Amino acid sequence: MPGIIKNISFNMSLDHMFCSRCREGFEPNEKIVNSNGELWHPQCFVCAQCFRPFPEGTFYEFEGRKYCEHDFHVLFAPCCGKCGEFVIGRVIKAMNANWHPGCFRCEECNGELADAGFIKCQGRALCHDCNARVKAGALGKHICYQCHGVIDDKPLRFRGEVYHPYHFNCTACGVELNSDAREVRSRAGYAANEMNELYCLRCHDKMGIPICGACRRPIEERVVTALGKHWHVEHFVCAKCEKPFLGHRHYEKKGLAYCETHYHQLFGNLCFVCNQVIAGDVFTALNKAWCVHHFACAFCDQKMNQKTKFFEFDLRPACKKCYDKFPAELKKRLRRMHDLTPKRIPG
């Protein structure tokens, strides 16, 4: 504790009084410093470390020696492991360091640990709740939001948190719930999540609320019905690109839904020229599909129709006029290789 200097004057005899430092006597009417019954010349009453007078008359005493505030802190006061300042008063000693009580905090939630206690986890100081949460996370488990215990089985999700199911009972029948319980928005408050209620699966099914075929959660707003199931709007997506249809047309195949582009890529016909879905009549030739207005000679680009004769050359169509311009030797070799005969465009 700091002490305060008192300057006093004595009217009594100074014959048997001596300075505690220099051991010299005092002059009549001389100011004398009295500290805990010991007398000092003012010039002798100085810091034991820097030998300077005490600022504002305040000093700190340790093991019989007096120090100014600065030197006392440097010599004896610990430094906080967080803020680096001297710790005066209560010191928390933990994690091989010293701390102000307000500076020693959980490294997960930042809560104070001075009075709550802590656990050392992988070199970090954690409160008991955060330590349990970290350990559970490493095991792939959850921590109950209510009792802070590890959830060994499937958790119950309610109002954005996870719980042991046995903490709750069905709003309708009162039975203890399990992880199959359903969260339903209360009739009393459609805008507030806090008004949601929990029902056992049996009572929930009696309420006739549809369940999403993707997330298995109740659908309380707009419902999409397709593939024999109900869906949240944002969960009814293309099986290929996983983009929501959002009201656009979908195509079904083997119990899955596809957008138009991917349905035709996987199961329909795309034009060999424009690579677009062929919506009308399809021309198939040379193991390819063509739009009616895109089937043309590969050499002169003349459009061809159902009555036009064409020849195959290098897996491309050639009209008769262009084919007749081929060298005789080339046409003879093509006949031998492919047994080439004029073909018509299939419709």
Side-chain angles (χ1 to χ4, degrees), residues 12-48:
M12 64 183 67
S13 174
L14 299 177
D15 293 342
H16 302 288
M17 297 183 182
F18 303 95
C19 175
S20 295
R21 180 184 180 197
C22 67
R23 309 309 300 172
E24 296 291 333
F26 301 96
E27 296 293 331
N29 300 322
E30 180 181 5
K31 287 187 177 181
I32 301 175
V33 178
N34 181 2
S35 175
N36 296 327
E38 293 182 321
L39 304 180
W40 310 72
H41 293 111
Q43 65 273 17
C44 291
F45 195 70
V46 295
C47 173

Side-chain angles (χ1 to χ4, degrees), residues 70-189:
H70 176 269
D71 287 331
F72 178 80
H73 289 166
V74 171
L75 293 173
F76 306 111
C79 291
C80 178
K82 181 178 181 180
C83 68
E85 299 294 331
F86 294 119
V87 182
I88 305 301
R90 185 184 179 189
V91 180
I92 304 299
K93 295 182 177 292
M95 306 292 291
N96 298 319
N98 300 291
W99 316 80
H100 291 106
C103 289
F104 188 53
R105 295 177 175 270
C106 172
E107 295 188 38
E108 281 284 325
C109 68
N110 202 39
E112 289 192 16
L113 300 175
D115 297 315
F118 75 98
I119 297 176
K120 185 176 181 180
C121 178
Q122 298 178 350
R124 302 189 302 162
L126 303 180
C127 66
H128 292 278
D129 290 345
C130 289
N131 178 69
R133 190 177 300 110
V134 169
K135 286 189 174 181
L139 298 174
K141 298 183 178 181
H142 298 278
I143 294 295
C144 177
Y145 187 74
Q146 179 168 325
C147 69
H148 307 295
V150 177
I151 304 175
D152 293 319
D153 299 321
K154 290 184 179 180
L156 173 61
R157 298 185 180 276
F158 182 48
R159 297 176 181 171
E161 304 292 347
V162 293
Y163 298 85
H164 289 109
Y166 55 74
H167 289 310
F168 300 92
N169 296 87
C170 175
T171 303
C173 68
V175 68
E176 184 179 289
L177 296 177
N178 56 33
S179 59
D180 292 329
R182 303 299 187 192
E183 182 178 359
V184 178
R185 187 174 295 171
S186 171
R187 298 182 182 89

Side-chain angles (χ1 to χ4, degrees), residues 232-259:
H232 287 107
V233 174
E234 65 274 15
H235 291 164
F236 185 53
V237 300
C238 172
K240 178 66 175 178
C241 64
E242 298 185 350
K243 291 182 179 179
F245 295 108
L246 300 177
H248 296 291
R249 183 179 179 183
H250 71 277
Y251 297 79
E252 298 182 9
K253 184 75 171 183
K254 296 181 179 180
L256 298 175
Y258 298 88
C259 62

Side-chain angles (χ1 to χ4, degrees), residues 259-292 294:
C259 62
E260 183 177 10
T261 299
H262 288 111
Y263 177 81
H264 287 291
Q265 281 184 355
L266 296 171
F267 312 109
N269 293 306
L270 295 179
C271 178
F272 178 71
V273 175
C274 67
N275 199 38
Q276 297 297 315
V277 175
I278 304 175
D281 294 333
V282 179
F283 287 169
T284 55
L286 312 178
N287 294 322
K288 300 179 180 66
W290 317 72
C291 293
V292 174
H294 284 159

